Amino acid sequence: MKKSSMSITTMALLTVAAVLSLRNLPSEAEYGYSVIFYITMAAICFFVPSALVSAELASTWPQEGGVYLWVKEAFGPKWGFVAIFMQWVENLPWFPAVLTFVASSIAYVFNPEWANNRWFVLITIWVMLWLATFLNFKGMKLSAWLSSSGALAGTLIPGAVIILMAIGYLFAGKTPQITMDTSAFIPDLSNWNQLMLLSGMMVALAGMEMSAIHVTEMKNPTRDFPKAIFIACGLVILLSVLGALAIALVIPPAEISLAAGADQAFAAMFKIFRIPWMTPVMCFLLSYGAVTMVVTWVLGPSKGVLEVAKEGYLPQCWQRRNANGMPTTILIIQAVISSLLALVVLFMPTISGAFWLMSALTAQLYMVMYLLMFAAAIKLRYSKPDAVRPYKVPGGKLGMWLISGIAWLTSLFAIIVGFIPTPGVREKGTMYVLGYISFLLIGTLVFILIPLWLYKYSKKNPVQEQ
């Protein structure tokens, strides 16, 4: 029986599903026209370079393993293990954070007050997390279909709706809520809060490399994967800029700052257009898109960790796969850990505050992975010069140094800025500031040391035969 292959469109939509989240639009819209500067800088310095580098690395080494394989080829299995571990572990608190948004969206469909019920939020997180996990047991074909359909129904369609509403708002002759002048486009980067936003924008556009783990599912990955990456890149940048500006043009800044997320933003816009019945419909689509985004990320890094396990650097039970080739043990382990982390909903003063701090830590860990990935791309141009590269970052070695070098420095900048406490933490005094910095510093060091320790004391378990 001939194995079905993943099309360019499916891979592009899967990548969009992995990277773009409309839940970020309201916070981006709060900055008006200056959001163009932030997204442009993030695209030039980080997003586009990560797409170019991922396209070269994935087309040159299209075997399973993704970032683990690339970093391993450059610096050996130890640092490849660190890289994929960073990509994997940063997801563990991220899953509950995203599914909290899903719970809010579901609440908006039935009863908005449920969004403040801790048990409703927790149970929704658990149900959706395990649903995403078991769906991935069914194989890559179902996972890819869910991811692509989620990108279409939960991201592209709602994004297009919000942009069209803004256009209709302007054509109706209504006054834009933000004014256009030169100063509106250039933010004050001497302000720490502005630097934090720029760093956060880069993290929000991370994930282009994740879809490369599925590159072997394509019929001709060396030719088709770069095409899919560039299509996804254009869609993400376009929807990010236009979607954020659409909200900023229609909703007064004061209301955006009070909005808790995309659900409220849509509710406010539909109220202006006197079609409030559309709010639950759009919230359902947003929740579906967020769940399929989790489906994408549940499997992606897990396949890279499987390659580590197959090479004997993790306990032998981590190598177990089902009849569909899915890494069942790894999927169950990450679902259990994420389920336990979700319990923070019951104990922290605020739900958003709890996950915000964990999100700050996951951002630091993710940027460590990017430091290794971009460094590996440069190293491989010298250590593996004869490797066949169907797609190459333009400009030869100088071009690779320039593109990967800028992205590497950008990742380092994001890590450094990530240690700057939020205004709310700074207002509480020195002890809170020190606690915040200590949490991130110790957490980052611990999660880097874990794979190094596992590598050092691994028994090189042989690969289990299927």
Side-chain angles (χ1 to χ4, degrees):
M1 183 177 178
K2 188 178 178 180
K3 180 183 176 182
S4 59
S5 58
M6 187 183 297
S7 67
I8 294 174
T9 301
T10 299
M11 177 62 83
L13 290 174
L14 187 149
T15 306
V16 171
V19 176
L20 183 61
S21 175
L22 296 186
R23 70 193 181 100
N24 296 322
L25 292 183
S27 59
E28 295 169 1
E30 192 175 347
Y31 295 87
Y33 285 110
S34 63
V35 75
I36 298 175
F37 170 85
Y38 287 120
I39 293 177
T40 300
M41 288 299 296
I44 293 173
C45 297
F46 181 78
F47 184 57
V48 172
S50 69
L52 296 174
V53 169
S54 297
E56 173 171 324
L57 293 175
S59 61
T60 308
W61 289 276
Q63 303 89 343
E64 290 189 349
V67 70
Y68 167 69
L69 177 62
W70 310 336
V71 177
K72 173 191 168 187
E73 288 288 329
F75 302 117
K78 178 170 70 174
W79 293 108
F81 188 3
V82 172
I84 191 61
F85 190 82
M86 294 299 100
Q87 189 189 50
W88 181 67
V89 80
E90 63 94 14
N91 280 301
L92 302 183
W94 180 82
F95 291 142
V98 172
L99 292 173
T100 299
F101 167 74
V102 173
S104 298
S105 296
I106 293 174
Y108 248 77
V109 175
F110 300 102
N111 184 352
E113 292 186 6
W114 290 356
N116 297 318
N117 185 308
R118 293 173 184 269
W119 282 105
F120 172 77
V121 172
L122 179 62
I123 292 172
T124 301
I125 291 172
W126 283 348
V127 170
M128 294 302 171
L129 177 61
W130 285 96
L131 176 63
T133 299
F134 287 124
L135 284 173
N136 274 299
F137 282 11
K138 298 298 182 180
M140 186 59 223
K141 186 176 181 181
L142 177 61
S143 176
W145 182 85
L146 288 169
S147 298
S148 59
S149 65
L152 180 63
T155 301
L156 298 182
I157 291 176
V161 167
I162 210 166
I163 292 168
L164 289 173
M165 283 197 295
I167 293 173
Y169 181 87
L170 296 177
F171 269 101
K174 297 188 177 182
T175 304
Q177 299 300 324
I178 53 175
T179 56
M180 184 182 295
D181 56 58
T182 305
S183 61
F185 288 88
I186 308 298
D188 178 16
L189 293 180
S190 63
N191 185 314
W192 279 16
N193 294 336
Q194 300 290 334
L195 286 175
M196 291 171 66
L197 178 65
L198 181 58
S199 172
M201 193 71 71
M202 293 165 187
V203 175
L205 293 178
M208 291 298 287
E209 82 295 337
M210 195 285 302
S211 57
I213 293 174
H214 305 299
V215 72
T216 54
E217 305 293 333
M218 304 189 78
K219 184 177 181 180
N220 189 343
T222 56
R223 180 195 65 195
D224 296 342
F225 180 75
K227 293 180 181 179
I229 283 292
F230 297 136
I231 292 171
C233 193
L235 286 172
V236 169
I237 293 174
L238 186 66
L239 280 176
S240 295
V241 172
L242 295 182
L245 283 180
I247 294 175
L249 286 166
V250 177
I251 303 176
E255 292 186 24
I256 293 176
S257 63
L258 294 174
D263 300 321
Q264 289 85 344
F266 272 106
M269 294 187 80
F270 287 133
K271 184 179 180 180
I272 290 171
F273 284 90
R274 299 178 182 177
I275 47 174
W277 56 269
M278 277 293 294
T279 299
V281 175
M282 203 56 60
C283 288
F284 172 79
L285 292 178
L286 289 173
S287 62
Y288 177 70
V291 169
T292 57
M293 188 179 194
V294 171
V295 170
T296 302
W297 279 95
V298 159
L299 180 62
S302 297
K303 294 185 74 175
V305 174
L306 175 63
E307 295 305 307
V308 176
K310 285 163 64 176
E311 294 190 13
Y313 299 114
L314 287 169
Q316 197 171 63
C317 64
W318 286 53
Q319 300 175 23
R320 290 176 186 158
R321 286 156 283 171
N322 63 11
N324 295 313
M326 297 295 102
T328 49
T329 297
I330 296 173
L331 291 174
I332 290 173
I333 288 171
Q334 75 177 12
V336 168
I337 296 173
S338 290
S339 295
L340 293 174
L341 289 173
L343 288 170
V344 74
V345 168
L346 301 179
F347 304 109
M348 292 298 288
T350 63
I351 295 173
S352 59
F355 288 119
W356 196 96
L357 185 59
M358 286 195 293
S359 296
L361 175 60
T362 62
Q364 301 293 80
L365 300 176
Y366 206 178
M367 290 300 110
V368 171
M369 186 222 74
Y370 277 111
L371 290 179
L372 291 169
M373 188 185 88
F374 292 125
I378 296 173
K379 172 79 182 308
L380 288 169
R381 281 292 186 95
Y382 293 89
S383 61
K384 307 276 186 177
D386 298 326
V388 178
R389 290 174 167 82
Y391 172 80
K392 294 179 69 174
V393 170
K397 290 180 179 178
L398 178 61
M400 177 59 82
W401 268 102
L402 183 64
I403 291 171
S404 287
I406 289 173
W408 191 92
L409 291 173
T410 301
S411 301
L412 181 62
F413 165 78
I415 291 174
I416 294 171
V417 173
F419 285 107
I420 299 175
T422 62
V425 173
R426 297 200 298 269
E427 289 171 1
K428 293 180 179 179
T430 304
M431 293 304 296
Y432 282 91
V433 169
L434 292 176
Y436 179 91
I437 295 173
S438 299
F439 174 82
L440 292 182
L441 183 60
I442 294 172
T444 302
L445 290 175
V446 166
F447 281 113
I448 291 174
L449 289 173
I450 288 174
L452 291 175
W453 181 84
L454 288 171
Y455 177 85
K456 182 177 181 179
Y457 293 101
S458 64
K459 296 180 180 179
K460 290 289 290 181
N461 297 301
V463 178
Q464 288 184 333
E465 294 298 328
Q466 299 299 303

